[in-house]
Amino acid sequence: DREHAVEIELPFLQERLDSFCLVPILAGNTSPALQKSLAGKLAALDDGRTLFVFSTDFTHYGAGYGYVPYGPSARQAREKIQSLNSRALAFFSPPDAEGFRKFLDETSDSICGQEGLKVMMELLPRIAPKARAVPLARYTSTDLPGNPSEDSVTYVAMAYVRGKAPQGAPLGAPPPPPVCPPQPAPLSADLGARLVRVARAALLTE
């Protein structure tokens, strides 16, 4: 009931794509046989115009997530978490679903969307066996400015491309957000009235 991967992806898809049909699939507990079966069904949809997006956070570390193999502090275990993440990512290029399953059995790594990732690893050899993995971003929540938490979540983004891979280093943590002035300029009366109308309309449509 708290799953929100689809909601997170929607703004990006709406920004980059014009008009599209979305088929969301949420994966709970699955088996290797089910992962392979779903990958076969998805492969039948590969028509050169279909974009497959698999969304997940990566390692959730800390007492708040019930995963503390290197001690309670994610900050102190930073290098070990990075090493764990690097081990996991090695199974993505080339995709190695069986190796990824064994890694998860060994480490219990708390990658929340791991079931979907297993499907992706079964899908890629079917539709793009020569596709190259392109790292786009990698950082942890403890890298974010002003975050005092001893827990952390790792974020990784990558794309698989059939043609020439784009060049460039993956992005790290986003920069600090701009600081709002302590006393921002007051809203104009016209803008204030418009905002009230929008708020009232939102309440009336609920």
Side-chain angles (χ1 to χ4, degrees):
D1 61 340
R2 293 185 295 156
E3 177 53 54
H4 53 272
V6 175
E7 289 84 348
I8 287 176
E9 295 298 337
L10 275 174
F12 295 97
L13 295 172
Q14 291 168 330
E15 171 68 20
R16 299 303 298 172
L17 305 178
D18 182 14
S19 177
F20 63 95
C21 174
L22 175 70
V23 181
I25 300 174
L26 295 178
N29 293 328
T30 63
S31 65
L34 187 59
Q35 294 152 19
K36 293 174 182 178
S37 175
L38 179 54
K41 290 178 170 61
L42 292 177
L45 302 176
D46 183 42
D47 56 4
R49 299 178 63 247
T50 299
L51 173 67
F52 296 95
V53 178
F54 292 81
S55 180
T56 177
D57 292 338
F58 226 59
T59 302
H60 294 64
Y61 192 95
Y65 301 115
Y67 187 66
V68 289
Y70 312 125
S73 170
R75 295 183 182 278
Q76 294 180 8
R78 177 185 177 85
E79 292 185 1
K80 292 182 178 179
I81 296 171
Q82 288 179 335
S83 177
L84 179 74
N85 295 158
S86 295
R87 284 185 61 196
L89 289 171
F91 298 104
F92 287 75
S93 183
D96 179 3
E98 188 57 36
F100 187 55
R101 293 186 190 101
K102 292 178 180 178
F103 165 81
L104 293 169
D105 288 341
E106 173 198 340
T107 64
S108 300
D109 195 349
S110 52
I111 301 172
C112 58
Q114 58 184 257
E115 303 300 317
L117 294 179
K118 295 170 190 173
V119 174
M120 180 191 76
M121 290 179 174
E122 296 287 356
L123 172 64
L124 281 164
R126 289 170 164 82
I127 64 173
K130 297 182 179 180
R132 299 172 60 185
V134 180
L136 303 177
R138 178 179 172 182
Y139 61 94
T140 71
S141 58
T142 53
D143 297 332
L144 299 176
N147 179 13
S149 176
E150 289 294 327
D151 293 351
S152 77
V153 179
T154 302
Y155 302 101
V156 177
M158 63 174 56
Y160 287 91
V161 296
R162 288 184 168 108
K164 184 178 179 181
Q167 301 299 312
L171 298 174
V179 178
C180 293
Q183 293 183 344
L187 299 177
S188 68
D190 178 63
L191 179 56
R194 289 168 59 192
L195 290 174
V196 169
R197 289 197 297 271
V198 170
R200 182 175 291 116
L203 291 173
L204 292 175
T205 56
E206 286 295 325

Coordinates of all heavy atoms in Angstrom, one line a residue, residues 7 17 20 43 47 57 68 80 94 99 105 108 130-131 139 182 188:
E7 N 4.4 6.2 -9.4 CA 4.2 7.6 -9.2 C 5.5 8.4 -9.4 O 5.5 9.5 -9.9 CB 3.6 7.9 -7.8 CG 2.2 7.5 -7.6 CD 2.0 6.1 -7.3 OE1 3.0 5.3 -7.3 OE2 0.9 5.7 -6.9
L17 N 8.3 12.1 -22.9 CA 7.5 11.5 -24.0 C 6.3 12.4 -24.3 O 5.8 13.1 -23.4 CB 7.1 10.1 -23.6 CG 8.2 9.1 -23.2 CD1 7.6 7.8 -22.7 CD2 9.2 8.9 -24.3
F20 N 1.7 8.7 -24.8 CA 2.1 7.3 -24.6 C 1.1 6.5 -23.8 O 0.3 7.1 -23.1 CB 3.5 7.2 -23.9 CG 3.6 7.8 -22.5 CD1 3.4 6.9 -21.4 CD2 3.8 9.1 -22.3 CE1 3.5 7.4 -20.1 CE2 3.8 9.6 -21.0 CZ 3.7 8.8 -19.9
A43 N 8.9 -9.7 -23.7 CA 9.7 -9.8 -24.9 C 8.8 -9.7 -26.2 O 9.2 -9.1 -27.2 CB 10.6 -11.0 -24.9
D47 N 8.7 -4.0 -29.9 CA 8.4 -3.6 -31.2 C 9.2 -2.5 -31.8 O 9.0 -1.9 -32.8 CB 6.9 -3.3 -31.4 CG 6.5 -2.1 -30.5 OD1 7.4 -1.6 -29.7 OD2 5.3 -1.8 -30.4
D57 N 14.6 1.5 -5.6 CA 15.8 2.0 -4.9 C 16.8 0.9 -4.8 O 16.5 -0.3 -5.1 CB 15.4 2.4 -3.4 CG 14.5 3.6 -3.4 OD1 14.5 4.4 -4.4 OD2 13.7 3.7 -2.4
V68 N 21.6 -4.1 9.0 CA 22.8 -3.5 9.6 C 24.0 -4.5 9.6 O 24.6 -4.7 10.7 CB 22.5 -3.0 11.0 CG1 21.7 -1.7 10.9 CG2 21.9 -4.0 11.8
K80 N 32.0 0.0 3.0 CA 31.5 -1.4 2.9 C 30.2 -1.4 2.1 O 29.9 -2.3 1.3 CB 31.3 -2.0 4.3 CG 32.6 -2.3 5.0 CD 32.4 -2.9 6.4 CE 33.8 -3.2 7.0 NZ 33.6 -3.9 8.3
P94 N 27.4 -7.9 -18.1 CA 26.1 -8.2 -18.7 C 25.1 -8.7 -17.7 O 25.5 -9.2 -16.6 CB 26.5 -9.3 -19.7 CG 27.7 -10.0 -19.1 CD 28.4 -8.9 -18.4
G99 N 23.3 -15.2 -11.1 CA 24.3 -14.7 -10.2 C 23.7 -13.7 -9.3 O 24.1 -13.6 -8.1
D105 N 20.8 -14.1 -2.0 CA 20.7 -15.2 -1.0 C 21.9 -15.1 0.0 O 21.7 -15.3 1.2 CB 20.7 -16.5 -1.7 CG 19.4 -16.8 -2.5 OD1 18.4 -16.2 -2.2 OD2 19.4 -17.7 -3.4
S108 N 21.5 -11.0 1.5 CA 20.2 -10.4 1.9 C 20.1 -8.9 1.7 O 19.4 -8.2 2.3 CB 19.9 -10.7 3.4 OG 19.9 -12.1 3.7
K130 N 23.0 -7.7 -27.0 CA 24.3 -7.0 -27.2 C 24.2 -5.5 -26.6 O 25.1 -4.7 -26.8 CB 24.7 -6.9 -28.7 CG 25.0 -8.2 -29.3 CD 25.4 -8.1 -30.7 CE 25.7 -9.4 -31.3 NZ 26.2 -9.3 -32.8
A131 N 23.1 -5.3 -25.9 CA 22.9 -3.9 -25.3 C 24.0 -3.7 -24.3 O 24.4 -4.6 -23.5 CB 21.5 -3.8 -24.7
Y139 N 24.5 7.5 -6.0 CA 24.9 8.2 -4.8 C 24.0 7.6 -3.7 O 23.1 6.7 -3.9 CB 24.6 9.7 -4.9 CG 23.2 10.1 -5.2 CD1 22.3 10.4 -4.2 CD2 22.8 10.2 -6.5 CE1 21.0 10.8 -4.5 CE2 21.5 10.6 -6.8 CZ 20.6 10.9 -5.8 OH 19.3 11.3 -6.0
P182 N 14.8 34.9 3.8 CA 14.1 34.8 5.0 C 12.7 35.5 4.9 O 11.8 35.1 5.5 CB 15.0 35.4 6.0 CG 15.9 36.3 5.3 CD 16.1 35.6 4.0
S188 N 1.4 39.0 -5.3 CA 0.5 40.0 -5.8 C -0.9 39.6 -5.5 O -1.2 38.4 -5.3 CB 0.7 40.2 -7.3 OG 0.2 39.0 -8.0

